[in-house]
Amino acid sequence: MPERIAEFDAFGPWVLPVRDADDVPPLFRPLVDVTDARLAVKVPRPIERRTADPTMDLYDSLIVVRGDGVEILARTPGVGDGTARVWLPARDILAVEDDTDLLHGCLRLHAADGAVEIPYNAVSSDVMMALIHEVRTYWRVPAAGGAKSSLVPVDALGPAEVGVANRFRWLQAHDPSVHPALLRPRRRATREGGAPRRLLDRVLPRFVNGLVIGTTGSELVVVRRRRGGVEPHRGPEYSLAITVVPFGRGVRVEAARTPGWVCLHDLRLAPTAVKLLAADGDGTGAVIGALLSPDRSASQPA
């Protein structure tokens, strides 16, 4: 059966659910059985419909969520037989991330020995969020009957970070167990140095992005901008990133001073490559450290 070019629209290729064997891209069909999959999606190549034809392999990867782990099949032209397979056991997944910047999206599954990255067209971010939800069931503790978390206010982080607040509100609306633990507005950063540096801060100010730290009682949830580091913000900011870290898997916070800046620290959720930027006294490291503490019961309510 030729691949269906109709799945590629004027806005680019969409990530699509795989319902049965006929939906599996021909390149991967001999290599995988999706019969017992909890969820499977196929990620198209970044090509437009007018350049596609049925003789091409139109999909870059296939992600299959199974009962005991995630299987990823990838197109690797010119390498071996043209395909690669990665198997991530459920117990080895330490964090899952989804980030978008306009039409550029990327899903990351973090393990102790590295991360698997799957780029995709961000028009399909809701499909990827459904996949992330399925992955999260590996460690989610059923929510006990309790009060539903109130949605954070749209302006909770100030006018510069309405997008971050809205994304966290979206998570709360889809999962009543998501509770905010820290609302951190955007703040100006200060360069190290004397008067010339202070003048540069006035003329070309830099900022530390805002974020929301939340928890479901069994995992850490961070919503922030995709771009880390200190940013100029001369125009609108459209990027967003969601990071979810399960409790009880040995993830910890490591802090290092940010060179060239006053009172800023780079936080790493070790052993993963996830990094955040924090300022002295803003609570970021303390809140994340407390939530990820090995002494904290996974069933303890937020």
Side-chain angles (χ1 to χ4, degrees), residues 25-69:
L27 178 65
F28 306 127
R29 204 168 292 162
L31 308 174
V32 67
D33 181 1
V34 297
T35 304
D36 63 345
R38 285 166 41 179
L39 180 70
V41 300
K42 52 187 178 182
V43 181
R45 292 169 58 184
I47 57 178
E48 297 182 357
R49 180 174 180 175
R50 65 175 179 268
T51 63
D53 70 72
T55 66
M56 302 169 61
D57 292 315
L58 298 178
Y59 290 86
D60 266 338
S61 56
L62 176 71
I63 310 168
V64 185
V65 183
R66 303 192 184 278
D68 57 348

Side-chain angles (χ1 to χ4, degrees), residues 201-274:
D201 283 336
R202 292 182 182 179
V203 177
L204 296 173
R206 295 292 191 271
F207 300 86
V208 177
N209 286 328
L211 55 73
V212 181
I213 297 173
T215 181
T216 62
S218 56
E219 59 193 355
L220 166 74
V221 180
V222 182
V223 180
R224 66 191 194 285
R225 295 298 179 184
R226 180 187 192 188
R227 299 184 181 91
V230 186
E231 301 291 332
H233 294 296
R234 295 190 182 91
E237 172 62 78
Y238 299 107
S239 70
L240 289 170
I242 298 172
T243 304
V244 179
V245 181
F247 294 161
R249 301 205 172 188
V251 179
R252 63 192 183 280
V253 179
E254 293 181 347
R257 178 180 162 276
T258 306
W261 298 93
V262 177
C263 299
L264 293 188
H265 295 84
D266 296 307
L267 304 180
R268 178 182 172 226
L269 304 186
T272 76
V274 178

Side-chain angles (χ1 to χ4, degrees), residues 88-215:
L88 288 177
R91 65 181 180 277
D92 291 347
I93 299 175
L94 301 181
V96 57
E97 284 189 294
D98 178 73
D99 66 49
T100 57
D101 189 356
L102 294 177
L103 293 181
H104 300 283
C106 187
L107 172 71
R108 295 183 186 86
L109 299 174
H110 293 267
D113 57 353
V116 178
E117 293 193 355
I118 301 128
Y120 70 93
N121 189 321
V123 296
S124 300
S125 61
D126 285 352
V127 177
M128 283 305 195
M129 290 305 299
L131 185 145
I132 289 173
H133 175 80
E134 199 64 38
V135 171
R136 290 168 66 192
T137 62
Y138 291 141
W139 55 72
R140 288 293 300 271
V141 174
K148 178 179 177 181
S149 177
S150 300
L151 297 181
V152 300
V154 174
D155 59 354
L157 305 179
E161 298 290 18
V162 169
V164 173
N166 272 332
R167 196 55 167 164
F168 193 82
R169 286 165 58 89
W170 184 91
L171 290 176
Q172 290 184 291
H174 287 77
D175 184 352
S177 69
V178 179
H179 293 256
L182 176 69
L183 304 174
R184 190 188 81 184
R186 183 182 294 178
R187 59 177 291 170
R188 289 184 68 156
T190 303
R191 296 174 176 86
E192 292 181 337
R197 293 291 185 180
R198 290 194 295 272
L199 177 61
L200 189 59
D201 283 336
R202 292 182 182 179
V203 177
L204 296 173
R206 295 292 191 271
F207 300 86
V208 177
N209 286 328
L211 55 73
V212 181
I213 297 173
T215 181

